Structure formats: C-alpha cells, structure tokens
Amino acid sequence: MQAELAARLAELGIDLAILQARGLEIHAEPAELALVELNAEEREFYLVPAAAEAWQRMRSAAVEDSVEIYLLSAFRSVERQHEIIAAKLARGQGLGEILRVSAAPGFSEHHTGCAVDIGAPGSPPLDEVFETSAAFDWLSRRAADFGFHLSYPRGNASGYLYEPWHWRWRA
C-alpha cells in the first residue's frame, strides 16, 4: 500500500487490518475518465470510457422501456472519499458505523470509475426504498445485459449495508 494512502487511513483512525479482515480491496484511480453527463444542477459525472458507453446504452434502453434512471454518483477520487469520511467523523459519527455505509479512502469502488449510484424519480436518493422502484426492478432484470452488477446485496461478504442503488460495471 502506498504511503499516501496509509497516511490518509491513519489520519482518519482507520486500521488497515480491519479492512483486510473484511476482504476489501484497494481500488486505484483510472488513468482516463470520460464525462458521462451533467445533472440538472450541472454536476459532472465521470466514468472510464467503456463504463460511460455502457451506462449510456443502459440508460437509453431503460427509457425505451419507459423507465427513468439517472446518476447520483459516479467516479469519486480518493481525496474526495477522505473528505466524506472526515466530515462524518466531525459530525460525531462512530468509525464503525461510517465504515458500514462508506468505504475507506482507497477502498471505494467509485475510485475505479466503473461504479455508479443510481436514482429514479419518486425514490429518495441513496435509500433502501429504491429496491421497491420500477427502476430497481428493471435494473435487476436488465443491468447485467450492459455489464452492470449490484455490488452490495443483502448479507454481502464485504460488510457494507445493503445498497440497492450501487451498481458496478465490469468488462
């Protein structure tokens, strides 16, 4: 593990042994990213080029089936992940609780540029209720056709809480 990542983990009080015991992998940031889309607030979302193309094809297919899906999150840097964890700690959340819902810096699938958090109209963002949406039903049936897979189903081995909105593209 590189010294910078080790320093980030130490600064946040994260024990690498705990992450390793959960079988979590270090995810490197990609060399190349492509702009996938802008949301209504003009926030930019990036993925690796092949994942970006797969996302666009999947989103178009969903529209053809009268299902709307959109990005809530895509690529996220190690630095940004560090900021997210630090902010949660500053608000008084316990590290154990944080690491059940957020990956440690260097360990987030979002670092790969292949992971997305998906939203849908009428479904609160990043909420388990997403599993009751038409979008989740469609994704469950069709996402694999485009290379996307649910990363954190119920009872997943990584120790993260169930995230029906989090999908990862794999070549």
Side-chain angles (χ1 to χ4, degrees):
M1 179 174 57
Q2 59 181 272
E4 181 183 337
L5 183 55
R8 284 187 183 281
L9 294 175
E11 181 182 324
L12 296 169
I14 298 173
D15 183 352
L16 177 61
I18 291 171
L19 303 176
Q20 291 173 327
R22 287 173 53 183
L24 301 178
E25 299 175 27
I26 295 174
H27 296 293
E29 294 180 8
E32 182 182 3
L33 291 167
L35 177 63
V36 181
E37 62 186 55
L38 295 170
N39 68 7
E41 293 80 34
E42 298 200 14
R43 179 177 170 200
E44 297 177 339
F45 295 97
Y46 292 89
L47 292 170
V48 297
E53 190 271 332
W55 165 258
Q56 290 167 338
R57 286 189 304 108
M58 184 169 75
R59 187 170 186 202
S60 293
V63 168
E64 288 174 16
D65 290 340
S66 301
V67 174
E68 184 180 349
I69 56 176
Y70 52 83
L71 292 175
L72 297 170
S73 184
F75 169 76
R76 188 178 309 136
S77 70
V78 172
E79 180 179 352
R80 177 67 184 128
Q81 194 71 19
H82 182 272
E83 292 169 356
I84 289 168
I85 302 295
K88 288 181 176 189
L89 287 168
R91 289 193 301 268
Q93 290 183 358
L95 190 56
E97 174 189 349
I98 293 168
L99 294 178
R100 291 198 64 216
V101 297
S102 297
F107 291 82
S108 174
E109 286 188 339
H110 288 287
H111 301 332
T112 67
C114 295
V116 293
D117 291 337
I118 300 173
S123 184
L126 309 177
D127 192 296
E128 195 173 302
V129 75
F130 181 72
E131 76 176 347
T132 65
S133 69
F136 181 76
D137 179 63
W138 188 91
L139 288 163
S140 296
R141 290 181 287 106
R142 298 287 317 278
D145 297 343
F146 305 92
F148 284 90
H149 305 278
L150 183 66
S151 292
Y152 306 117
R154 290 189 195 284
N156 64 79
S158 67
Y160 292 118
L161 294 179
Y162 173 48
E163 293 189 354
W165 59 85
H166 182 96
W167 296 74
R168 182 174 177 184
W169 178 83
R170 297 179 199 272

